[in-house]
Amino acid sequence: DVKVTQSSRYLVKRTGEKVFLECVQDMDHENMFWYRQDPGLGLRLIYFSYDVKMKEKGDIPEGYSVSREKKERFSLILESASTNQTSMYLCASSRLLSALNTQYFGPGTRLTVL
Amino acid sequence: SQQGEEDPQALSIQEGENATMNCSYKTSINNLQWYRQNSGRGLVHLILIRSNEREKHSGRLRVTLDTSKKSSSLLITASRAADTASYFCAIQGAQKLVFGQGTRLTINP
């Protein structure tokens, strides 16, 4: 089975801090994704990556950056955390060359910015 | 918008009853997928239906797709307490999956 892990289940940070959220997958998937999930808004795509060192903006990239130095690892960075970034963050991965683009999700990181 | 819209937003039924959730969308799709999310957890893929398919089954799950109406439904038969979760449809377009806001399903014992 595909396993996607995220570095923390719960995280509390202060406004202005730099925050790193780590995601690792063990199935050699090419695609990796970062979403945030908020009540009433569903899942919104922040960034995604199709390959090492490659990134694409999603629907809400402002205030975030990403890093993909290795195929299995995709990091989400909040350069200067703000209270409106309090949310549930979900990482996912999938195969690249597949019309059946099923995504596999990690357990999520609930981030609170005070 | 390519986003799927689920209906109803919340559904509460008795254990053993069937649950039906609907998803409507506005653009052409490659496939449509359904995911489940237990409270505070990540999403789990349930079933995928391709744009040229009309119905698909997986255990107690039945998914239909009507591309002329741009709609899909997810039926869970003989519901169990463990089915309590949020259910999301996801539209597969050119490259990305776009998720709807979900239906919150509660199964009462």
Side-chain angles (χ1 to χ4, degrees):
Chain A
D1 280 349
V2 176
K3 191 171 183 181
V4 180
T5 58
Q6 296 184 226
S7 50
S8 304
R9 287 299 316 279
Y10 300 95
L11 206 53
V12 179
K13 295 292 182 181
R14 296 210 174 270
T15 301
E17 281 192 77
K18 190 169 186 176
V19 182
F20 293 87
L21 302 182
E22 303 284 339
C23 176
V24 178
Q25 51 94 5
D26 67 357
M27 282 300 293
D28 201 36
H29 282 171
E30 293 84 4
N31 297 338
M32 295 190 75
F33 306 84
W34 275 106
Y35 297 90
R36 64 177 283 177
Q37 183 179 23
D38 301 286
L41 296 176
L43 274 76
R44 293 180 291 168
L45 182 63
I46 305 171
Y47 268 98
F48 59 102
S49 170
Y50 289 141
D51 200 354
V52 174
K53 296 192 185 296
M54 179 265 171
K55 60 186 179 183
E56 293 281 345
K57 291 180 180 179
D59 300 318
I60 51 164
E62 296 78 19
Y64 303 94
S65 62
V66 290
S67 172
R68 190 150 182 217
E69 296 296 319
K70 294 184 178 181
K71 190 175 185 179
E72 67 271 17
R73 187 179 298 270
F74 192 34
S75 301
L76 180 69
I77 303 155
L78 287 65
E79 294 290 342
S80 178
S82 63
T83 55
N84 62 13
Q85 292 179 309
T86 291
S87 186
M88 171 71 118
Y89 289 88
L90 294 166
C91 174
S93 71
S94 70
R95 293 221 171 272
L96 176 65
L97 296 176
S98 172
L100 309 178
N101 199 9
T102 299
Q103 292 191 10
Y104 297 86
F105 282 80
T109 295
R110 188 165 294 281
L111 172 67
T112 301
V113 182
L114 302 176
Chain B
S1 167
Q2 195 177 17
Q3 184 179 26
E5 295 182 6
E6 286 98 336
D7 172 62
Q9 291 188 355
L11 180 62
S12 180
I13 61 173
Q14 296 300 119
E15 194 167 14
E17 294 181 341
N18 296 341
T20 299
M21 288 157 274
N22 303 295
C23 174
S24 60
Y25 57 93
K26 296 180 180 178
T27 63
S28 61
I29 61 172
N30 293 324
N31 64 63
L32 186 146
Q33 305 181 29
W34 286 91
Y35 288 77
R36 184 188 72 228
Q37 183 181 34
N38 291 91
S39 181
R41 308 292 297 186
L43 278 71
V44 175
H45 178 259
L46 293 176
I47 196 166
L48 179 152
I49 187 164
R50 303 181 200 201
S51 58
N52 62 353
E53 295 177 313
R54 292 297 167 257
E55 188 170 313
K56 203 160 183 181
H57 296 257
S58 176
R60 294 183 296 111
L61 305 180
R62 173 179 169 248
V63 169
T64 61
L65 179 64
D66 187 334
T67 53
S68 66
K69 295 182 179 179
K70 291 186 166 54
S71 67
S72 173
S73 66
L74 170 66
L75 169 67
I76 304 174
T77 60
S79 63
R80 305 168 181 170
D83 295 328
T84 293
S86 292
Y87 292 81
F88 295 85
C89 68
I91 310 301
Q92 172 74 63
Q95 292 180 322
K96 300 180 295 183
L97 275 181
V98 181
F99 290 83
Q101 296 185 19
T103 292
R104 175 69 190 167
L105 175 65
T106 302
I107 309 299
N108 302 305

